[in-house]
């Protein structure tokens, strides 16, 4: 299928009326055509020339979804890896994909105990980093793959850093909340160090990782420039900090 994007008018209209449309998201009916027609929006989707396959993502009713998030990151990023970071920053893309081809996945993956979904966060995307990396049901998979896929380990396990990122939900959120979290080199260096430390010392603990990011790396970045450091230099900095703390 060709990649689809919502038009700006369609996106704005849907987001503005999300509360009033909540019941429609849980219905089996196809409702977008009639909804936009009634709003006078007849061409609510645009097609890109990029041909990307629709892939089958794993859905489960189990409470612990982390292992499936890792599997779905692999599936989704492999299928959509030809996207550029600029294209992958477009909320019109992710919002359209969540509403149309991947609607069932979003509903099943993100339903809460009362069977509802936080629709404005999971179905919609914005340009905000937290939306792209953590909240939107699909962009989080792509960005997790993009930031952690390790080309140097292609012959063995290029997803080893993805597994570190998803190892604990709080650690994942703490890392993603950092100013540097969309920098691929810094993320790889950080995750390599955390993996190395974990292999030697056991399960990572939330507080030391948070302090490493908040107090050390961000402070270091204030007096130096993290962006100029190599993956190996970042790895060394983080690993030495974790050993001492």
């Amino acid at each position: 299928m060709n990649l689809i994007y919502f038009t700006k008018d369609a996106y704005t209209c849907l987001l503005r009326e999300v509360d009033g449309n909540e019941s429609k998201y849980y219905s089996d009916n196809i409702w977008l055509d009639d909804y936009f027609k009634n709003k006078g929006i007849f061409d609510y989707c645009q097609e890109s020339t990029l041909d990307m396959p629709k892939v089958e993502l794993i859905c489960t009713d189990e409470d612990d979804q982390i292992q499936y998030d890792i599997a779905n990151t692999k599936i989704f990023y492999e299928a959509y890896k030809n996207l550029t970071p600029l294209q992958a920053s477009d909320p019109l893309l992710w919002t359209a994909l969540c509403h149309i081809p991947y609607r069932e996945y979003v509903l099943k993956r993100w339903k809460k105990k009362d069977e509802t979904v936080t629709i404005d966060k999971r179905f919609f995307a914005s340009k905000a980093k937290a939306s792209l990396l953590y909240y939107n049901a699909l962009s989080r998979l792509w960005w997790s793959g993009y930031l952690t896929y390790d080309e140097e380990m292609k012959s063995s396990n290029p997803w080893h850093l993805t597994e570190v990122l998803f190892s604990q939900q709080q650690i994942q959120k703490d890392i993603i909340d950092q100013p540097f979290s969309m920098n691929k080199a810094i993320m790889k260096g950080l995750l390599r160090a955390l993996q190395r430390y974990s292999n030697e010392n056991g399960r990572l603990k939330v507080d030391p990782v948070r302090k490493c990011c908040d107090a050390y790396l961000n402070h270091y970045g204030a007096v130096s420039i993290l962006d100029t450091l190599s993956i190996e230099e970042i790895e060394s900095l983080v690993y030495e900090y974790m050993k001492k703390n």
Side-chain angles (χ1 to χ4, degrees):
M1 70 172 196
N2 286 350
L3 276 185
I4 56 172
Y5 297 75
F6 274 142
T7 64
K8 287 184 180 179
D9 286 346
Y11 172 90
T12 301
C13 184
L14 266 181
L15 184 58
R16 183 176 61 239
E17 300 188 0
V18 64
D19 291 338
N21 290 329
E22 184 173 359
S23 62
K24 295 182 175 68
Y25 284 84
Y26 306 114
S27 169
D28 291 333
N29 298 327
I30 305 299
W31 59 278
L32 285 178
D33 285 348
D34 289 339
Y35 171 77
F36 283 119
K37 184 177 179 181
N38 291 334
K39 297 294 180 182
I41 301 174
F42 298 99
D43 296 319
Y44 60 88
C45 264
Q46 298 174 335
E47 281 195 1
S48 162
T49 56
L50 286 176
D51 184 20
M52 300 282 183
K54 180 181 182 295
V55 292
E56 293 299 320
L57 297 174
I58 303 168
C59 292
T60 175
D61 291 324
E62 295 179 27
D63 290 335
D64 185 6
Q65 298 279 358
I66 287 180
Q67 61 180 315
Y68 301 105
D69 282 345
I70 295 171
N72 284 330
T73 294
K74 297 175 184 179
I75 293 168
F76 195 78
Y77 183 71
E78 283 284 3
Y80 288 80
K81 62 185 177 184
N82 288 335
L83 287 176
T84 66
L86 180 61
Q87 291 167 324
S89 300
D90 191 340
L92 303 179
L93 166 66
W94 300 119
T95 305
L97 291 179
C98 285
H99 276 78
I100 302 175
Y102 292 98
R103 174 177 175 268
E104 290 183 14
Y105 165 76
V106 181
L107 286 172
K108 191 162 187 179
R109 167 61 182 90
W110 290 105
K111 69 178 179 181
K112 295 177 279 188
K113 290 183 178 179
D114 63 359
E115 301 292 316
T116 64
V117 175
T118 310
I119 293 169
D120 60 334
K121 287 185 177 179
R122 302 306 181 184
F123 274 91
F124 289 83
S126 71
K127 288 186 177 294
K129 182 179 65 174
S131 175
L132 293 172
L133 270 62
Y134 192 75
Y135 289 112
N136 180 267
L138 296 176
S139 66
R140 68 191 294 273
L141 300 179
W142 190 92
W143 279 99
S144 293
Y146 171 76
L147 291 167
T148 63
Y149 185 82
D150 194 346
E151 291 279 358
E152 294 180 21
M153 300 291 288
K154 200 167 185 178
S155 61
S156 53
N157 178 19
W159 300 103
H160 67 115
L161 300 180
T162 317
E163 293 161 7
V164 177
L165 180 64
F166 281 104
S167 61
Q168 294 182 56
Q169 187 174 6
Q170 188 57 56
I171 287 178
Q172 177 195 14
K173 189 174 188 309
D174 288 342
I175 291 174
I176 283 171
D177 282 344
Q178 300 305 318
F180 54 73
S181 60
M182 293 184 93
N183 183 304
K184 197 171 185 176
I186 297 175
M187 286 288 283
K188 281 187 174 181
L190 168 63
L191 293 170
R192 284 184 185 181
L194 295 181
Q195 183 180 50
R196 181 179 166 192
Y197 180 84
S198 177
N199 288 341
E200 295 173 1
N201 298 278
R203 181 179 170 87
L204 292 169
K205 294 181 180 179
V206 171
D207 284 346
V209 175
R210 181 180 294 158
K211 288 176 182 177
C212 177
C213 293
D214 289 345
Y216 181 62
L217 277 183
N218 285 323
H219 173 73
Y220 190 93
V223 296
S224 183
I225 302 178
L226 287 177
D227 290 355
T228 66
L229 301 182
S230 67
I231 294 173
E232 292 73 22
E233 288 170 325
I234 295 290
E235 178 183 356
S236 178
L237 280 174
V238 173
Y239 176 73
E240 292 302 323
Y241 176 89
M242 293 294 293
K243 273 206 316 181
K244 294 174 183 176
N245 294 274

